[in-house]
Amino acid sequence: KNQVEQSPQSLIILEGKNCTLQCNYTVSPFSNLRWYKQDTGRGPVSLTIMTFSENTKSNGRYTATLDADTKQSSLHITASQLSDSASYICVVSAIKAAGNKLTFGGGTRVLVKP
Amino acid sequence: EAGVAQSPRYKIIEKRQSVAFWCNPISGHATLYWYQQILGQGPKLLIQFQNNGVVDDSQLPKDRFSAERLKGVDSTLKIQPAKLEDSAVYLCASSPRPSPSSYNEQFFGPGTRLTVL
């Protein structure tokens, strides 16, 4: 069964500090892995997308890594800002005949405090 | 470029009532998705349309949920009758027609928050 597990479920960090979110998956056949940011009351917005051959990708202060051998990914937030308070969702895409099928993790809720 | 539009943004109903949600995808996007997101969880796919045809509705509770995309553009999702456990955010997403060079990225609307009392 395709699954995506994220940890921690939630975390609180002080403004300006760094943090790292984890994602483990058991999805096959693997197509790509995405990290989404979901602000409260809004739909998810894509931060990064990585294929099998990519092991790191950055988007501003967000850096995602992918280890396809161990089926693990991380999202690192550098110098956190109050606007980083959101849920971060790891999504893994599997190759299907009818098009890629996404499996969503439960998300990590990040609260940045001043 | 306008994003995915959804309405209403919020809806409160009593159990056993009916409710409908509307979604207008990004112009030109062939694929449309409806997701259910229960508080504290990731989204769960309910149904996927490719133009006006259903690609995947394996997780749609068909005894009470229905969806249509008659002209291959906007879509409606209906719940009839609603249960307490249907309280959730219903997200609509769209993506362009897949190509070998695309990641088939999905663009999400703001969602409709449904509360069933």
Side-chain angles (χ1 to χ4, degrees), chain B residues 1-72:
Chain B
E1 177 183 80
V4 176
Q6 289 189 248
S7 67
R9 291 297 312 278
Y10 305 92
K11 189 74 176 178
I12 300 174
I13 62 173
E14 295 188 348
K15 60 183 179 183
R16 291 188 288 273
Q17 285 187 320
S18 302
V19 66
F21 312 128
W22 176 81
C23 171
N24 194 19
I26 294 173
S27 177
H29 280 195
T31 310
L32 184 147
Y33 313 79
W34 282 103
Y35 290 90
Q36 180 192 60
Q37 186 175 25
I38 293 173
L39 186 65
Q41 299 181 17
K44 182 186 83 171
L45 179 68
L46 293 175
I47 189 167
Q48 175 184 345
F49 291 96
Q50 182 75 21
N51 297 310
N52 61 353
V54 175
V55 173
D56 184 352
D57 64 356
S58 57
Q59 296 193 90
L60 186 74
K62 299 181 184 63
D63 58 333
R64 298 185 299 107
F65 286 64
S66 64
E68 59 184 17
R69 192 185 185 199
L70 294 176
K71 296 182 179 179

Side-chain angles (χ1 to χ4, degrees), chain A residues 82-98:
Chain A
L82 298 179
S83 59
D84 293 331
S85 296
S87 285
Y88 292 85
I89 304 174
C90 177
V91 185
V92 183
S93 178
I95 300 170
K96 297 292 183 184

Side-chain angles (χ1 to χ4, degrees), chain A residues 2 9 29 34 37 48 50 61 63-64 66 74 76 79 85-86 90 98-99 103-104 114:
Chain A
N2 289 341
Q9 281 192 324
R34 313 151 188 229
K37 178 186 179 187
T48 63
M50 290 181 291
R61 294 178 297 100
T63 300
L66 173 64
S74 66
H76 186 76
S85 296
C90 177
T103 301
F104 288 76

Side-chain angles (χ1 to χ4, degrees), chain B residues 91-108:
Chain B
L91 293 166
C92 179
S94 70
S95 62
R97 185 180 303 276
S99 72
S101 62
S102 79
Y103 293 129
N104 197 29
E105 183 172 356
Q106 295 186 21
F107 298 84
F108 287 83

